[in-house]
Amino acid sequence: MQAVVIHGKLDLRVEDRPVPEPGEGQVRLRIAYAGVCGSDLHYYYEGANGEYAVREPLVPGHEVSGTVDLDPSGELAPGTPVTVHPATFGTPEPGILDRRHLWPGGAYLGSASTDPHTQGGMSEHLVVRRDMVRVLPAGLGLRAAALAEPLAVALHALTVAGDVAGRRVLVSGSGPIGLLAAAAALARGAAEVVATDVLAGPLERARALGVHGTVRVGAEEVPPLSFDVVLECSGVPAAVSAALVAARRAAVVVQVGMVPGEPRPVNLAPLVSKELQLRGTFRFDDEIGEALELLARGPEIEGVITHVLPAGQAGAAFEAARDSAASGKVLVSLHPDGDR
């Protein structure tokens, strides 16, 4: 089978690997699509994602969709359309028993955080535990289903923020996660959703999702003291400072975008003077079920996908994903008949 493999910084290869055999409690999938995530870009362009360096060949990809190829138990028929919850959870810890995604010792598809690395789904076949498989709702295609994992990340950020029904929500940064956060806020009943970005292309994509307004950062002012909830999805320190200014008094600001693991200047004065709540969010627990339902009833969300390239052009897919002016979510197609 073909697999996209990162061997180190700027070293990406498409290789032939043996088709894996499922063991007890496992299922083999035939992967149709794998999304290119920000962590995948870090592994390729920097050779590391934060503190986690590529120390051995790594198949990236945790945003996948496909069909069942072989379920030894016979529970899932071949051809069943599915996606995957990419996490295996670690050891329960007091104080966070209800937050499995934060338990120590867990793993995630396509991650160098474990030794050996946890191989991802950017390959023609993938073997996963049966409890990681999620069958798609009727009518949801494989292409749109590749958005389930990042949409679940966005939905979890809203869970961390609290109830947004009837509230004014600002989404800072309109990359793929920002766009999906905007879609999630609309779906959860926000009264107004405003999206920001420094580039015109992402804002066009936000408007196509139905947001109530957009702000071109640098050319227009983000209204201060105006939002009940702010979802900061860019990870840029200047944007974090601006998010604190945009929040009304006693508002909630959720840091969704990954930030560098190093000191960066952020103006925290509004956090104190307005008694804001600044919260972090990391991956998700099990919002992927809600994500699938939302994708099934909201076909416009598939518009977040702007590029689909075959595995043989994986390098070009990574380049496209890096160009945020021109691209939203970029998918790698592992099978020519995957779009169905």
Side-chain angles (χ1 to χ4, degrees), residues 37-337:
C37 176
S39 61
D40 303 325
L41 295 178
H42 285 300
Y43 283 131
Y44 174 51
Y45 286 103
E46 301 162 23
N49 181 35
E51 61 183 295
Y52 304 122
V54 176
R55 302 179 303 279
E56 62 186 68
L58 172 69
V59 178
H62 52 261
E63 306 171 359
V64 299
S65 63
T67 54
V68 173
D69 188 56
L70 175 62
D71 179 2
S73 74
E75 180 182 355
L76 295 172
T80 301
V82 299
T83 187
V84 173
H85 190 312
T88 51
F89 300 109
T91 304
E93 188 171 270
I96 53 170
L97 295 178
D98 60 340
R99 303 187 187 189
R100 299 178 299 167
H101 59 294
L102 299 180
W103 293 351
Y108 217 70
L109 291 180
S111 173
S113 64
T114 55
D115 188 12
H117 297 342
T118 304
Q119 301 298 316
M122 207 170 284
S123 58
E124 289 185 298
H125 293 88
L126 174 68
V127 168
V128 296
R129 290 184 350 193
R130 170 63 184 87
D131 60 2
M132 298 169 70
V133 177
R134 302 290 189 274
V135 176
L136 303 190
L140 180 60
L142 293 175
R143 176 174 144 138
L147 293 173
E149 192 276 347
L151 181 55
V153 170
L155 288 165
H156 182 69
L158 286 165
T159 299
V160 169
D163 186 7
V164 298
R167 299 193 172 192
R168 298 189 70 193
V169 177
L170 178 70
V171 178
S172 169
S174 297
I177 288 294
L179 293 172
L180 293 170
L186 290 167
R188 286 198 177 178
E192 182 178 6
V193 178
V194 175
T196 77
D197 206 275
V198 297
L199 300 169
L203 295 178
E204 290 179 11
R205 290 185 278 277
R207 286 190 288 271
L209 287 173
V211 299
H212 301 89
T214 58
V215 176
R216 179 89 177 263
V217 176
E220 302 170 285
E221 181 187 25
V222 180
L225 287 164
S226 297
F227 297 94
D228 305 301
V229 174
V230 180
L231 305 173
E232 205 303 293
C233 299
S234 74
V236 177
V240 178
S241 295
L244 299 178
V245 172
R248 66 156 172 82
R249 293 177 179 85
V252 173
V253 179
V254 181
Q255 187 58 46
V256 187
M258 291 296 290
V259 295
E262 59 190 45
R264 291 289 180 93
V266 173
N267 180 12
L268 293 179
L271 182 73
V272 177
S273 64
K274 292 191 286 187
E275 205 169 283
L276 302 177
Q277 298 181 50
L278 179 60
R279 303 175 183 177
T281 181
F282 182 67
R283 293 176 180 165
F284 63 97
D285 185 352
D286 203 27
E287 286 90 346
I288 197 164
E290 182 183 354
L292 289 171
E293 294 172 4
L294 179 52
L295 288 165
R297 68 174 188 264
E300 72 281 354
I301 301 174
E302 189 175 349
V304 172
I305 300 168
T306 57
H307 295 70
V308 180
L309 288 89
Q313 298 179 34
F318 276 60
E319 285 290 336
R322 197 184 193 191
D323 182 1
S324 57
S327 70
K329 175 56 65 178
V330 176
L331 304 183
V332 173
S333 172
L334 281 308
H335 288 283
D337 59 345

